[in-house]
Amino acid sequence: MPRVVLLATGGTIAGSGAAHAGVGAGSAAYQSAVVTAQDLIAGVPGLAALAELRAEQLFQIDSADFTDQHLLQLARRVAALCRQDDVDAVVVTHGTDTMEETAYFLHLTVPTDKPIVLTGAMRPGTALAADGPANLRQAVAVAAHASSAGRGVLMVMNEEIHSGRDVAKVHSLRLDAFASQHGALGLVVEGAPRWYRRVERPHGAASEFDIDRIDALPLVGVVTSHGNMRAEIYDSWATLGARAIVHAGFGGGTVPEYLKAPLAELRARGVLLVRCSRTGAGPVVRGASIDDDALGWVVSDDQNPPRARLLAALALTRGGDPTAVQRVFLRY
């Protein structure tokens, strides 16, 4: 049987609350990250028929508490497991708030073709119609299936299979809270993956960002656009030591006229600016609304602000030249 390691990090899937309490039947008020990895497995019938499964509790936290240090530790552990001959796949249980960021980071930094599948839950196990058990069973089924190899890091939620490159949380409560701007890779149908597309951008062993060669991530800030913005927010990130700032602009990454000069000054001080869109989908075109070449700015292609932060940080581990960073964004 496929040998799968369940690496648990906490989150709602490991949450508990007052069963069937209130209008939401216990789905909103609960304590995150209290159920152990072994108990998660014990609560899902039929897992033993899918894989030889063993559990490991790496963290027990709400995913809102994930830091870059947690990301690095998790990636190193996943990479180490994937190097073992007695491990065929890894399933990571994770809180949904930052699961998309973790999936993207693992997608780019773990050099393996073995399946790595993330899953979580929108409702704790004590809620009416809890989704965690079904999500976990489907994640194990996808991880254990031979066809899942070489597709990069996957996220399985609500019977859909998404790529770690594209997936984002798009709703605060619904079970279909995750979507990919280019569509899901496939579905879980009758307990097995059914595929419809692949991700063409590099990942896994084809990525230049091997976690074993990354000691730390440089600080990168994110500023989201709104009416009546202040340049001091960008200055604060620079003062804190940020080497890059992601400008989550209106529409196609627009920079308001009153911010152009202050941001140009930041670039002159060595802080890289990455233009992306606050909409969360669609490409930002270099030079379309502003002279990025003259300013030494970078555009994010189709990456949303949280993923743009991570990709900028990874690119900066290889140097800070804007041309090289732009190449990274257009490649990945």
Side-chain angles (χ1 to χ4, degrees):
M1 295 186 71
R3 297 159 296 183
V4 178
V5 175
L6 173 69
L7 202 55
T9 69
T12 298
I13 194 170
S16 180
H20 317 316
V23 175
S27 63
Y30 62 92
Q31 184 177 354
S32 178
V34 294
V35 179
T36 67
Q38 197 59 56
D39 286 340
L40 283 177
I41 292 175
V44 182
L47 285 181
L50 299 174
E52 180 184 318
L53 201 61
R54 73 174 192 258
E56 183 176 319
Q57 190 81 48
L58 186 63
F59 309 126
Q60 188 65 297
I61 60 174
D62 189 305
S63 72
D65 296 327
F66 254 74
T67 64
D68 287 351
Q69 288 68 40
H70 289 106
L71 276 179
L72 291 166
Q73 185 178 345
L74 175 59
R76 290 176 185 132
R77 184 57 187 148
V78 172
L81 288 169
C82 289
R83 287 194 295 267
Q84 294 181 198
D85 292 336
D86 63 345
V87 175
D88 298 311
V90 176
V91 171
V92 180
T93 56
H94 198 290
T96 60
D97 283 346
T98 60
M99 185 158 60
E100 65 192 81
E101 296 171 60
T102 297
Y104 187 53
F105 190 75
L106 296 178
H107 185 74
L108 293 180
T109 61
V110 180
T112 186
D113 284 334
K114 293 181 179 180
I116 301 168
V117 180
L118 278 75
T119 194
M122 293 302 296
R123 299 171 180 170
T126 48
L128 185 66
D131 57 325
N135 287 340
L136 180 55
R137 181 181 175 89
Q138 291 159 14
V140 172
V142 170
H145 203 277
S147 68
S148 300
R151 295 179 183 270
V153 170
L154 306 170
M155 184 190 295
V156 174
M157 293 285 291
N158 197 41
E159 299 182 345
E160 294 182 332
I161 309 170
H162 294 274
S163 170
R165 184 194 181 274
D166 300 330
V167 70
K169 188 174 182 179
V170 297
H171 200 278
S172 62
L173 288 175
R174 282 169 38 162
L175 299 186
D176 58 343
F178 286 85
S180 297
Q181 61 173 312
H182 305 301
L185 299 184
L187 304 173
V188 182
V189 179
E190 295 296 319
R194 187 172 295 181
W195 305 101
Y196 296 100
R197 71 177 185 93
R198 284 182 177 271
V199 170
E200 294 296 326
R201 301 292 181 98
H203 52 77
S207 170
E208 63 196 274
F209 304 113
D210 186 338
I211 187 60
D212 289 330
R213 299 199 300 267
I214 300 172
D215 295 324
L217 292 176
L219 182 64
V220 177
V222 177
V223 179
T224 301
S225 291
H226 54 82
N228 196 43
M229 296 182 71
R230 299 295 297 266
E232 291 86 347
I233 304 301
Y234 298 85
D235 289 331
S236 296
W237 275 113
T239 300
L240 289 169
R243 290 182 57 194
I245 299 173
V246 174
H247 170 78
F250 308 104
T254 303
V255 177
E257 191 64 36
Y258 56 82
L259 283 181
K260 290 179 181 178
L263 295 186
E265 291 174 7
L266 280 180
R267 179 70 201 113
R269 290 162 52 186
V271 180
L272 193 67
L273 186 81
V274 179
R275 292 197 302 118
C276 70
S277 174
R278 75 175 191 178
T279 66
V284 174
V285 180
R286 185 170 182 81
S289 62
I290 198 165
D291 193 343
D292 293 297
D293 291 336
L295 292 164
W297 291 352
V298 171
V299 298
S300 65
D301 190 27
D302 65 343
Q303 294 299 0
N304 68 9
R307 288 197 297 269
R309 179 190 79 85
L310 290 171
L311 188 53
L314 287 171
L316 288 168
T317 66
R318 308 296 297 274
D321 176 66
T323 302
V325 175
Q326 184 64 79
R327 177 196 62 81
V328 165
F329 271 93
L330 294 178
R331 183 171 187 232
Y332 293 95

